Amino acid sequence: MGIKCNLKLKGYVRLWDADTKELLKETHNMVVSDGQALAGNLLINAPGYDVGISYCAIGTDDTAENEGQHTLVAEAYRAQVTQKSIAGNIITVSTFFVSGSCGIHIKEAALFGHSTATMTANSGIMFSRALLEYDNSGTPRNLMISWDIQIDKV
């Protein structure tokens, strides 16, 4: 007889002005099916799954999230994750976006991982996606996007 424990991944996203630390937006995000598989493969050290979450991307489409999505609908820019930490059962992943690269009307954001994730749009495996609407096109600010990923028992 074994012990059975089901895990649930859920997340929360915050968009900050990186200079003033003003909270601009916050919302829940969806860990997509590919993200659940990525986590599982990392847990068992599956061949080829040697890189976790490494990039955050922003885009300009507001199509509703669904578990079957593999990429952002309209990826505009991505940056390498700048900080990762864990406290208890909450992983925090933060990414800095310099104003010159994120001066768009942001409507979506996502985290990507796997060794195939690079600065190239739509590369890697999407872990989670969020609708995160913020117009940064007028006078662009430096932005920080932080994701709290909570691992809970079901």
Side-chain angles (χ1 to χ4, degrees), residues 61-112:
D61 192 275
D62 61 359
T63 299
E65 304 115 316
N66 76 64
E67 289 186 4
Q69 290 172 322
H70 306 287
T71 62
L72 286 178
V73 177
E75 185 172 332
Y77 184 77
R78 67 170 54 196
Q80 198 162 21
V81 168
T82 50
Q83 185 176 0
K84 299 176 191 178
S85 63
I86 187 166
N89 65 330
I90 298 176
I91 299 165
T92 300
V93 177
S94 300
T95 307
F96 176 78
F97 289 88
V98 66
S99 62
S101 64
C102 64
I104 62 170
H105 190 152
I106 300 166
K107 295 185 180 179
E108 58 181 339
L111 290 175
F112 291 85

Side-chain angles (χ1 to χ4, degrees), residues 1 6 21 26 31 52 56 60 63 74 76 78 97 102 106 111 131 138-139 142 152-153:
M1 180 187 334
N6 294 317
K21 309 300 185 241
E26 56 185 328
V31 177
C56 179
T60 58
T63 299
R78 67 170 54 196
F97 289 88
C102 64
I106 300 166
L111 290 175
L131 294 181
T139 304
N142 293 323
D152 286 326
K153 290 189 252 181

Side-chain angles (χ1 to χ4, degrees), residues 55-56 75 77-80 116-123:
Y55 287 90
C56 179
E75 185 172 332
Y77 184 77
R78 67 170 54 196
Q80 198 162 21
T116 56
T118 66
M119 284 295 291
T120 303
N122 302 318
S123 65

Side-chain angles (χ1 to χ4, degrees), residues 11 14 20-21 29 35 44 51 66 81 96 107 109 113 115 117 119 124-125 130-131 134 138 142-143 149-150 154:
R14 292 176 182 85
T20 66
K21 309 300 185 241
N29 79 94
I44 65 167
V51 178
N66 76 64
V81 168
F96 176 78
K107 295 185 180 179
S115 58
M119 284 295 291
I125 296 174
L131 294 181
Y134 179 74
N142 293 323
L143 300 176
I149 303 159
Q150 188 170 337
V154 178

